[in-house]
Amino acid sequence: DTDVFSDAGTTPAVNDDTVQQWNDQSGAANHRTQGTSGSRPVFKTNILNSLPILRFDGSDDYLDGTWSSLVQPFTVAVVCKSDVAENAVPWGGATACFLYNFDADSGALNAGSDLVFDIVSTNWNIITTVVNGASSVVRVNGVEFTGNPGTNATGANLAVGRWSGGGFEFDGDIAALVIDNTALDEAGRIALEEELNDTWAVFAGGDPPVLSSPIATVTGTTTATVGVTTDTASGTLYVVVTTSAT
């Protein structure tokens, strides 16, 4: 990969090299770097769909750097696999905007409070997040979760592999990270996930599942909305129920 370097942007990394610099491919030069040799992730080849990834040790590996003009609303998508159930942060901003594994089967987007969503920590995931206060959206492998993770978040000091404020180090692999300084709509999020899956084949044989329009709504003390989603790789049909107070 010509955008991952074992030094400050001169020598492309090869298998098992530590990574000092991961280049921004947008042309804006928002590169992620790590000046301390012992805190660099490891470049591993032929891991996911025969493509390379960065491996973080869960102890002190991370890449850091400033990001120009990244304030809410913005969109971050990551292709990642966590090796542990808790305290795993694929990315995090210095002002408490971070995505992490909440426990063994759920994650959270935090910008002052938690937006909790379902996740299997040891699987490869495509996680797309729109950070926009009460209008925030997280899509995990095609399933959408909404809520309010708070508003005290920017990506001005966006780290990869931990929260920029320190701690919550990531133990696992990151294959791709995409950042957009706009709030992508549903069609945009789906298109981005399909593009990532075309490259990384998280869902072998098909695109991430997409939730159908609601097929039933039942109203009482709460409103339950039922939808259906299909994993196109396996043909598995899922029923998704969301509830809200009435």
Side-chain angles (χ1 to χ4, degrees):
D1 191 317
T2 57
D3 294 299
V4 179
F5 297 91
S6 60
D7 56 17
T10 302
T11 307
V14 298
N15 190 47
D16 289 330
D17 277 351
T18 59
V19 173
Q20 181 173 342
Q21 182 166 309
W22 188 6
N23 274 10
D24 172 17
Q25 298 183 37
S26 73
N30 291 310
H31 310 319
R32 304 297 91 183
T33 63
Q34 177 53 262
T36 302
S37 60
S39 296
R40 295 171 185 165
V42 176
F43 184 72
K44 304 291 289 187
T45 59
N46 198 32
I47 299 297
L48 182 60
N49 199 29
S50 301
L51 294 170
I53 55 87
L54 296 187
R55 180 158 293 165
F56 296 77
D57 66 4
S59 175
D60 56 5
D61 290 356
Y62 70 101
L63 300 170
D64 209 352
T66 58
W67 200 279
S68 58
S69 302
L70 188 62
V71 296
Q72 291 196 49
F74 60 92
T75 303
V76 181
V78 61
V79 180
C80 65
K81 177 175 72 71
S82 172
D83 291 335
V84 297
E86 298 180 6
N87 293 347
V89 184
W91 59 268
T95 52
C97 178
F98 50 98
L99 184 72
Y100 67 103
N101 282 16
F102 190 75
D103 57 30
D105 55 8
S106 64
L109 174 67
N110 185 293
S113 58
D114 286 326
L115 189 173
V116 179
F117 51 85
D118 294 337
I119 188 173
V120 179
S121 63
T122 56
N123 288 357
W124 279 101
N125 299 277
I126 298 176
I127 304 174
T128 308
T129 64
V130 174
V131 187
N132 189 23
S135 299
S136 295
V137 176
V138 178
R139 281 175 55 93
V140 183
N141 300 335
V143 178
E144 184 172 297
F145 303 84
T146 60
N148 189 354
T151 57
N152 63 327
T154 70
N157 293 95
L158 193 70
V160 180
R162 74 165 194 179
W163 175 39
S164 289
F168 296 97
E169 285 80 4
F170 184 57
D171 186 349
D173 298 342
I174 296 177
L177 181 70
V178 178
I179 300 169
D180 191 305
N181 62 0
T182 65
L184 294 181
D185 60 14
E186 182 180 10
R189 295 192 298 274
I190 292 171
L192 174 57
E193 292 161 6
E194 291 178 349
E195 181 179 352
L196 290 170
N197 192 61
D198 287 345
T199 301
W200 299 100
V202 173
F203 302 93
D207 290 323
V210 177
L211 185 65
S212 72
S213 299
I215 60 173
T217 299
V218 180
T219 301
T221 55
T222 62
T223 296
T225 301
V226 182
V228 175
T229 184
T230 302
D231 184 338
T232 53
S234 65
T236 303
L237 185 69
Y238 297 94
V239 175
V240 180
V241 179
T242 58
T243 61
S244 60
T246 58

